[in-house]
Amino acid sequence: MAPDEFRQHGHEVIDWIADYLETIRDRPVLPPVQPGELTAQLPAHAPEEPEHMNRILADFRDRIVPANTNWNHPAFHAYFANSGTPPAILAEALCAALNVNGMLWKSSPACTELEQVTLRWLAQWLGLPDEWFGMIHDTASTAGVHVLACARHRADPLSRFAGNADRAFIVYCSELAHSFVDKAAMTVGFGLAAVRRVPVDRTFRVRPQVLAEMIAADRAAGRTPVCIVATIGTTSVASVDPVPEVAVIAERERLWLHVDAAYGGAAAVSQKYRHHLAGAARADSFVVNPHKWLLTPSDLCAFYTRDPETLRGAFSLVPEYLRTAQHPSAVNMMDYSFQLGRRFRALKLWFVMRSYGRRGMAEVIESHCDMAGGFARRLAADGRFEIVAPIEFSLVCFRYRGSDDENRALLEAINSSGRAFLSHTVIEDRYVLRMAVGNWQTTAEDIARLCVLIAGLAPGPS
Ligand SMILES: *Cc1c(COP(=O)(O)O)cnc(C)c1O
C-alpha cells in the first residue's frame, strides 16, 4: 500500500470508528443472524489476486459488522460488560504500527519498561503493594496456568523436570470460582479431580472452616495441597470471598494464595469500593482484567506476584551461569511465562490511565455501580421481580417470580429485541438473569429504557 493510499484509508477508518461509536445505539446489540449465515456470504477461497482496500472496507461494513455482537454497545449487559474506549482504540493502532515483540528487554525496552510502569501505577490505584512484580497476559485464564505452575514449583522445584510424577497436587477454590481453575488444572496435568470446590455460605462467600477441613483431609490421605484460589467478584453473582480468613489458612498451610479479582478488582480504583480488596495484599499472586471493567479493549489481564523468583524458577530455561548481572529494569519477560513472543499491550492501558486519570476512572466505576443499584431498585419496586444476590459492584442478579421456563423466555425476548443483551446463571438450582453495567457510554437513561423494556416483556401487570 502506497503511503498516500494508507493515509486516505486511515482517515476513512477513523471516520468510520467515530461514526460507529457515536451512532451505536441505532444498531442491535445482538445481530439477527443464524449460524453459517456469514460464512455463506464469503468466498470459499482467499483471493488469488490483490483486492482493493475499498472492496475490503465495504465488505467489513456490509457483511462483517452486521454479523457482529456489539460488545461496545451501551446496552450490552451480558457476562461482564466492557469498553473499548477511544484512547485505547488509538493505542491499538499504534501498537500494530510498532509491531513489537517484547520477549526480551532488548527486543523492546519500551514494551518491557512501560509494562512495569503501568502495572505499578495500576497497583497504586488499587491500593496494592507497588513492589509486586507485574506482567500482562492476554487473559486471566492464561495467568491461571502460570499460577498453578508457580504453586507446584514452590511445593516441588523438581517438578519442572519430572512433571507431576506420582504426586497428587491439589488446588482449592469456591464452588463459584471461575472455570479457569479447572482448565488450568487440566493443562498443568493436576487433572480435574485435583480441583476441590469448597461450598459457599448464604451470601455466596467461600466457607473457610470447610476449606481448612478439606485441606486436612487431603493431607491425611497423602495428597499434596499446593494452591488456594480466592475470588473477589465471582463471575456468577460477583460475591467476595473472605480473603483475610482464607489468607490465614494459606499462610498456616504454606499454600500459594491466588486472588482472582478479574472483574471486581477494578472497583478498588474508587475509595468507596476499596474495602472489597481487604486481604488481597497477602496474596502470592493477583489478577485484575482491565479488559473487563477498566475501559481497556480486549485483551489485557494484569497479573501480579509477590514472588517473581518462583515464577521465573518455574519458567526460565536460561541456566543460572548464563545469567548476566543486569539492571533490575532490564527484565526479560520470556523468563516469566510459557509464552515467548508478546505484544505491546501496556500501550493501551497507559493511554487509558492517562486519559481518564484515577479520578475520572473512579467516577466511571461509581456511576456504573449507581446505575446497577438504580436498576435493582426499579425492578424490585415492580412486584413481579426479585433480586437474588447482594449487589457489591455493577452486577445485578434477578429473576421474574415465576418458573425457570418463564425466565428463560423473558431473557430470549429481551435479547432477540436487539435493544439489550443480558445473560443468565443458575443460583441454588434456579434460573437467574444477570445485568452488568460496564460500558463507558451507558447512561442512567439507557438503564431506565432497559427497565421499561423488561417490564413490558415480562408476563402479567406490573
Ligand atoms: C472473566 C473472569 C475470568 C476469566 O477471564 P479471562 O480473562 O477471559 O480468562 C476469571 N475469573 C473471573 C472472576 C472472571 O470474571
Side-chain angles (χ1 to χ4, degrees), residues 31 53-54 139-140 150 212 262 359 366 390 401 413 419 456:
M53 186 53 65
N54 286 339
T139 59
C150 282
R359 198 163 52 78
E366 288 166 13
R401 294 180 196 271
R419 292 165 56 202

Short mmCIF file of all heavy atoms in Angstrom, two decimals, residues 31 53-54 139-140 150 212 262 359 366 390 401 413 419 456:
data_model
loop_
_atom_site.label_atom_id
_atom_site.label_comp_id
_atom_site.label_asym_id
_atom_site.label_seq_id
_atom_site.Cartn_x
_atom_site.Cartn_y
_atom_site.Cartn_z
N PRO A 31 -26.71 -9.42 16.79
CA PRO A 31 -27.09 -9.42 15.38
C PRO A 31 -28.17 -10.46 15.10
O PRO A 31 -28.10 -11.56 15.65
CB PRO A 31 -25.78 -9.80 14.68
CG PRO A 31 -25.06 -10.66 15.68
CD PRO A 31 -25.43 -10.09 17.04
N MET A 53 -8.53 -1.98 -1.33
CA MET A 53 -8.98 -1.68 0.03
C MET A 53 -10.43 -1.21 0.06
O MET A 53 -11.16 -1.49 1.03
CB MET A 53 -8.05 -0.66 0.68
CG MET A 53 -8.30 -0.37 2.13
SD MET A 53 -8.38 -1.81 3.25
CE MET A 53 -6.71 -2.42 3.15
N ASN A 54 -10.87 -0.51 -0.96
CA ASN A 54 -12.27 -0.06 -0.98
C ASN A 54 -13.23 -1.24 -0.86
O ASN A 54 -14.24 -1.17 -0.17
CB ASN A 54 -12.58 0.70 -2.28
CG ASN A 54 -11.96 2.09 -2.26
OD1 ASN A 54 -11.65 2.62 -1.18
ND2 ASN A 54 -11.74 2.65 -3.43
N THR A 139 -5.24 -13.12 29.05
CA THR A 139 -6.45 -13.37 29.84
C THR A 139 -6.12 -13.87 31.24
O THR A 139 -5.01 -14.35 31.49
CB THR A 139 -7.33 -14.46 29.17
OG1 THR A 139 -6.53 -15.65 29.06
CG2 THR A 139 -7.81 -14.04 27.79
N ALA A 140 -7.12 -13.81 32.11
CA ALA A 140 -6.99 -14.37 33.46
C ALA A 140 -6.79 -15.88 33.41
O ALA A 140 -6.19 -16.47 34.31
CB ALA A 140 -8.22 -14.03 34.29
N CYS A 150 3.39 -22.05 39.35
CA CYS A 150 4.12 -21.47 40.48
C CYS A 150 3.87 -22.27 41.76
O CYS A 150 4.80 -22.55 42.52
CB CYS A 150 3.66 -20.02 40.74
SG CYS A 150 4.36 -18.83 39.61
N ALA A 212 -10.50 -25.44 55.39
CA ALA A 212 -9.45 -25.98 56.27
C ALA A 212 -9.63 -27.49 56.45
O ALA A 212 -8.65 -28.26 56.44
CB ALA A 212 -9.46 -25.26 57.61
N ALA A 262 -10.60 -10.59 38.68
CA ALA A 262 -10.62 -10.27 37.25
C ALA A 262 -11.60 -9.13 36.96
O ALA A 262 -11.27 -8.17 36.27
CB ALA A 262 -10.99 -11.52 36.44
N ARG A 359 -9.12 9.77 39.10
CA ARG A 359 -10.42 10.32 39.50
C ARG A 359 -11.47 10.05 38.42
O ARG A 359 -12.60 9.66 38.72
CB ARG A 359 -10.28 11.82 39.77
CG ARG A 359 -11.44 12.38 40.58
CD ARG A 359 -11.08 13.74 41.18
NE ARG A 359 -10.59 14.66 40.17
CZ ARG A 359 -11.36 15.32 39.31
NH1 ARG A 359 -12.66 15.15 39.35
NH2 ARG A 359 -10.83 16.14 38.42
N GLU A 366 -17.94 4.31 39.80
CA GLU A 366 -19.02 4.65 40.75
C GLU A 366 -20.34 4.83 40.01
O GLU A 366 -21.40 4.39 40.49
CB GLU A 366 -18.66 5.93 41.53
CG GLU A 366 -17.56 5.68 42.55
CD GLU A 366 -16.93 6.96 43.10
OE1 GLU A 366 -17.51 8.05 42.89
OE2 GLU A 366 -15.86 6.87 43.73
N PRO A 390 -26.78 -10.27 46.82
CA PRO A 390 -26.36 -8.92 47.23
C PRO A 390 -25.63 -8.24 46.07
O PRO A 390 -24.92 -8.90 45.31
CB PRO A 390 -25.40 -9.18 48.40
CG PRO A 390 -25.66 -10.57 48.85
CD PRO A 390 -26.18 -11.32 47.67
N ARG A 401 -40.59 -13.57 39.18
CA ARG A 401 -41.16 -14.52 40.13
C ARG A 401 -42.08 -15.48 39.39
O ARG A 401 -43.29 -15.28 39.31
CB ARG A 401 -41.97 -13.79 41.21
CG ARG A 401 -41.14 -12.90 42.13
CD ARG A 401 -42.06 -12.24 43.15
NE ARG A 401 -41.41 -11.11 43.79
CZ ARG A 401 -40.67 -11.20 44.90
NH1 ARG A 401 -40.49 -12.36 45.48
NH2 ARG A 401 -40.13 -10.13 45.42
N ALA A 413 -36.66 -13.06 24.96
CA ALA A 413 -37.41 -11.92 24.41
C ALA A 413 -36.59 -10.63 24.49
O ALA A 413 -36.57 -9.83 23.54
CB ALA A 413 -38.74 -11.76 25.16
N ARG A 419 -32.45 -4.74 21.53
CA ARG A 419 -32.30 -3.49 22.27
C ARG A 419 -31.47 -3.62 23.54
O ARG A 419 -31.15 -2.62 24.18
CB ARG A 419 -33.67 -2.89 22.54
CG ARG A 419 -34.32 -2.42 21.23
CD ARG A 419 -35.79 -2.15 21.37
NE ARG A 419 -36.03 -1.17 22.42
CZ ARG A 419 -37.20 -1.04 23.06
NH1 ARG A 419 -38.20 -1.83 22.76
NH2 ARG A 419 -37.35 -0.12 23.97
N GLY A 456 -42.08 -4.45 30.11
CA GLY A 456 -43.03 -4.68 29.01
C GLY A 456 -43.03 -6.11 28.51
O GLY A 456 -44.06 -6.59 28.02
#
